[in-house]
């Protein structure tokens, strides 16, 4: 009896709203945009920090990204494309920032998390992180951007394709080829 009650209760338990539902709600009520902010602020900040390597600048551009998104929210055509639309805005903010400062961003060791554990494994991990970071810094900016969008921002291939205005399959192939190339270079450096 209790088991049946719990099953019925689970069926009627409210589920958290999906991103699409939140976008629709924000279109009806601008105050609901705050839910989208909470959903994406950490990912947008992480993406911008990976490009800028400066907390204050990343925070400023994160705020600018959300302000621009809020002001131009009516320009969003499809609610299921919100994340790629938002990351496109963030990407443009970063490019504008670099144009104004005439600097290039790079990956740094701090972007790749280290494992807590024994000192030997930490030292080995740190050495691997440095090696991978060095290889990534040698990549052209376009390839670094592909890695940022996929691994720092945790975007799907279709989202990245919309941001970069490329075919989804082309983005997948480029990513996997890039990872294979990095792996080969890393293995060669340890031989």
């Amino acid at each position: 009896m209790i088991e049946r009650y719990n099953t019925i209760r689970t069926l009627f338990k409210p589920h958290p709203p999906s991103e699409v539902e939140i976008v629709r709600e924000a279109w009806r009520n601008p105050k609901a945009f705050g839910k989208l902010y909470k959903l994406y602020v950490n990912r947008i900040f992480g993406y911008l920090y990976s490009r800028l390597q400066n907390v204050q600048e990343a925070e400023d551009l994160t705020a600018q990204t959300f302000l621009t998104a809020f002001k131009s929210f009516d320009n969003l055509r499809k609610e299921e494309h919100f994340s790629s639309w938002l990351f496109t805005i963030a990407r443009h903010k970063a490019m504008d920032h670099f144009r104004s400062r005439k600097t290039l961003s790079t990956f740094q060791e701090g972007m790749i998390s280290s494992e807590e554990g024994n000192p030997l494994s930490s030292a080995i991990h740190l050495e691997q992180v440095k090696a991978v970071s060095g290889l990534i810094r040698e990549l052209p900016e376009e390839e670094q951007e592909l890695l940022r969008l996929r691994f720092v921002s945790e975007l799907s291939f279709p989202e990245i394709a919309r941001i970069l205005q490329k075919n989804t399959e082309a983005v997948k192939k480029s990513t996997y080829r890039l990872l294979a190339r990095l792996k080969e270079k890393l293995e060669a450096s340890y031989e």
Side-chain angles (χ1 to χ4, degrees):
M1 178 80 165
I2 292 174
E3 205 172 290
R4 186 172 172 197
Y5 170 76
N6 285 336
T7 303
I8 291 170
R9 198 172 104 207
T10 303
L11 291 174
F12 292 104
K13 189 176 188 178
H15 66 283
S18 70
E19 174 189 305
V20 171
E21 292 169 331
I22 297 171
V23 169
R24 288 179 184 155
E25 182 183 351
W27 269 334
R28 290 187 306 271
N29 177 6
K31 290 181 180 179
F33 191 83
K35 293 178 184 177
L36 291 169
Y37 173 84
K38 287 179 184 174
L39 190 62
Y40 281 98
V41 68
N42 290 333
R43 289 174 59 193
I44 292 293
F45 174 80
Y47 166 74
L48 291 168
Y49 180 75
S50 75
R51 296 208 60 190
L52 304 168
Q53 296 301 311
N54 181 297
V55 173
Q56 289 81 19
E57 290 176 350
E59 287 173 345
D60 289 346
L61 288 185
T62 298
Q64 290 177 28
T65 297
F66 281 99
L67 183 61
T68 300
F70 182 75
K71 287 179 178 178
S72 61
F73 194 54
D74 292 337
N75 295 339
L76 175 64
R77 293 188 190 122
K78 292 184 178 183
E79 60 266 12
E80 62 269 11
H81 294 169
F82 178 78
S83 63
S84 54
W85 178 75
L86 185 63
F87 275 94
T88 298
I89 293 171
R91 187 169 184 252
H92 286 279
K93 293 290 179 190
M95 288 188 295
D96 290 346
H97 174 78
F98 288 122
R99 263 188 233 114
S100 70
R101 297 208 33 210
K102 305 261 192 255
T103 60
L104 292 175
S105 67
T106 60
F107 274 78
Q108 292 188 350
E109 288 86 13
M111 288 178 47
I112 303 171
S113 63
S114 65
E115 304 271 333
E116 296 289 326
N118 71 47
L120 179 59
S121 110
S122 292
I124 291 170
H125 182 74
L126 182 60
E127 192 61 35
Q128 290 171 338
V129 166
K130 286 180 180 180
V132 169
S133 294
L135 291 173
I136 291 172
R137 277 193 297 275
E138 294 172 2
L139 294 173
E141 177 60 28
E142 183 178 306
E143 290 179 339
Q144 288 185 32
E145 181 70 354
L146 185 60
L147 292 175
R148 276 187 208 99
L149 291 170
R150 181 67 180 152
F151 299 105
V152 176
S153 302
E154 300 175 357
L155 294 175
S156 68
F157 289 118
E159 290 171 322
I160 296 169
R162 282 191 295 275
I163 291 168
L164 299 178
Q165 299 177 347
K166 293 185 177 183
N167 176 300
T168 301
E169 288 303 313
V171 169
K172 278 185 191 178
K173 286 180 184 176
S174 295
T175 303
Y176 291 132
R177 287 179 182 156
L178 177 56
L179 292 174
R181 228 174 52 235
L182 285 172
K183 182 181 177 192
E184 286 175 15
K185 286 182 178 182
L186 187 61
E187 288 172 352
S189 72
Y190 282 112
E191 289 181 353

